Amino acid sequence: MANVPSDPWVLGVSPCSPRMFLEDKDFALLITILPVPGIVLLIHSLTSMELNILYSYVIEVLICLHTRVLEKLPDLVRGLPTLASVLRRKVKNKRIRVVWESILEECGLQEGDITALCTFFIAHGNKAEYYTAKVRQMYIRDVTFLITNMVKNQALQDSLLRAVQVIEKGKAVRTPEKQKSSLKELIPSVNN
């Protein structure tokens, strides 16, 4: 994707830091902005390599969103130095909110996805390492399989899957809610 830096070092900060694109005051505010009841981010079964792969997708999506906001609001670049500043200011600034919502729509994301991804970033950013796309592909061929089998929280799983789609395809494809099959539908009918 052209708008996403291939390496967070482009931003002049360490890709391993959870404060990578957060100012100190924004870091505390981001935690209060993102109420995440029910999202349990304890992912015990992931290896550090798998965690790094997921973290890399998350960081690229967050950088992509921040970059797109700045591209659409070039006159506010100095006032929106971090993603947290965008999240904070969109609440009171209609222009920022409209741009933010249009970018989410263009990417096939929703606010709930951003909440889950930012929460993952905050929870795991201090122990994760950024992997470039080439390194990610070298370690794992099917990240979708990894996510669907290792991430148990459905909201986080869906958000991670959409993040991967945004990075790999440029847009997440929303699928309608899956209907759960009843037991009767799973058992073939037997006619007498």
Side-chain angles (χ1 to χ4, degrees):
M1 166 160 243
N3 293 341
V4 179
S6 61
D7 186 351
W9 283 103
V10 170
L11 299 177
V13 290
S14 167
C16 298
S17 168
R19 295 183 177 175
M20 181 175 127
F21 50 94
L22 303 175
E23 296 171 350
D24 287 338
K25 63 182 178 175
D26 289 335
F27 191 74
L29 285 171
L30 185 57
I31 294 170
T32 60
I33 291 171
L34 301 170
V36 192
I39 289 193
V40 178
L41 296 172
L42 299 174
I43 305 175
H44 298 292
S45 56
L46 289 179
T47 65
S48 61
M49 179 213 35
E50 292 166 337
L51 180 65
N52 292 340
I53 289 170
L54 296 181
Y55 171 80
S56 299
Y57 279 106
V58 169
I59 203 69
E60 284 191 19
V61 167
L62 298 178
I63 290 170
C64 173
L65 294 172
H66 183 236
T67 302
R68 287 184 179 192
V69 168
L70 297 180
E71 287 172 353
K72 290 192 176 199
L73 298 170
D75 57 315
L76 296 178
V77 168
R78 297 184 129 234
L80 300 172
T82 64
L83 178 64
S85 64
V86 172
L87 295 174
R88 185 179 65 245
R89 291 192 53 202
K90 75 177 175 67
V91 175
K92 292 184 180 178
N93 186 316
K94 184 179 180 181
R95 186 169 161 230
I96 295 171
R97 183 174 50 254
V98 167
V99 167
W100 175 254
E101 290 170 357
S102 73
I103 289 168
L104 290 183
E105 189 175 324
E106 287 170 12
C107 293
L109 299 171
Q110 293 179 346
E111 286 289 343
D113 296 322
I114 306 311
T115 301
L117 296 174
C118 285
T119 304
F120 177 89
F121 175 75
I122 290 168
H124 300 291
N126 64 334
K127 59 186 169 274
E129 187 178 322
Y130 176 79
Y131 287 174
T132 64
K134 283 184 179 181
V135 174
R136 289 192 303 256
Q137 284 192 334
M138 185 174 68
Y139 282 126
I140 191 162
R141 292 278 178 224
D142 188 4
V143 71
T144 301
F145 181 79
L146 168 72
I147 293 168
T148 55
N149 287 303
M150 302 302 269
V151 179
K152 301 305 176 200
N153 180 281
Q154 193 62 50
L156 179 59
Q157 184 183 103
D158 292 344
S159 297
L160 288 169
L161 289 170
R162 282 190 279 278
V164 168
Q165 288 178 340
V166 168
I167 297 306
E168 292 184 354
K169 297 178 179 142
K171 182 174 181 172
V173 178
R174 285 215 164 263
T175 54
E177 289 295 317
K178 296 175 186 172
Q179 294 180 350
K180 298 194 179 193
S181 301
S182 68
L183 190 54
K184 289 180 183 177
E185 293 171 349
L186 296 174
I187 300 173
S189 61
V190 178
N191 294 334
N192 292 349

